[in-house]
């Protein structure tokens, strides 16, 4: 399903309201599913931005992802992302693309 996605953290630290307003949302086909996670060494619910082109993820995928809030026009997905071998908390605000 297509959403406008805003990443709400940088290296695990929550962005301020001002920083969030300055973010340019990316239009993304967001998928969520249970898959084997090589990073965690087990099955994990993952959220990712689908791209039909081969290669790296558009933004780091969320491992142990869960929907932590939902309303009429969007949802918040939280989990952990891997950047340079380190796991950081991350949340995506996903606003409906209408």
């Amino acid at each position: 399903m297509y959403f406008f996605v805003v990443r709400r953290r940088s290296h695990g630290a929550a962005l301020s309201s001002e920083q969030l307003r300055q973010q340019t949302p990316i239009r993304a086909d967001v998928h969520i599913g249970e898959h084997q996670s090589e990073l965690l060494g087990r099955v994990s619910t993952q959220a990712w931005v689908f791209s039909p082109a081969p290669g790296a993820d558009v933004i780091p995928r969320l491992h142990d992802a869960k929907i932590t809030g939902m309303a009429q026009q969007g949802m918040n997905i939280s989990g952990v992302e891997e950047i340079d071998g380190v796991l950081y908390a991350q949340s995506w605000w996903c606003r409906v693309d209408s």
Side-chain angles (χ1 to χ4, degrees), residues 1-3 5 26-36 44-53 55-66 75 77-78 80-81 92 94:
M1 185 171 194
Y2 279 90
F3 293 94
V5 178
I26 62 168
R27 185 175 183 272
D29 184 7
V30 176
H31 289 214
I32 300 174
E34 287 192 352
H35 300 280
Q36 181 65 32
S44 165
T45 301
Q46 299 176 37
W48 68 95
V49 171
F50 176 77
S51 173
D57 287 330
V58 174
I59 57 175
R61 65 179 52 210
L62 296 179
H63 297 265
D64 288 344
K66 60 183 173 181
M75 66 180 166
I77 306 171
S78 298
V80 294
E81 65 181 5
W92 298 347
C94 302

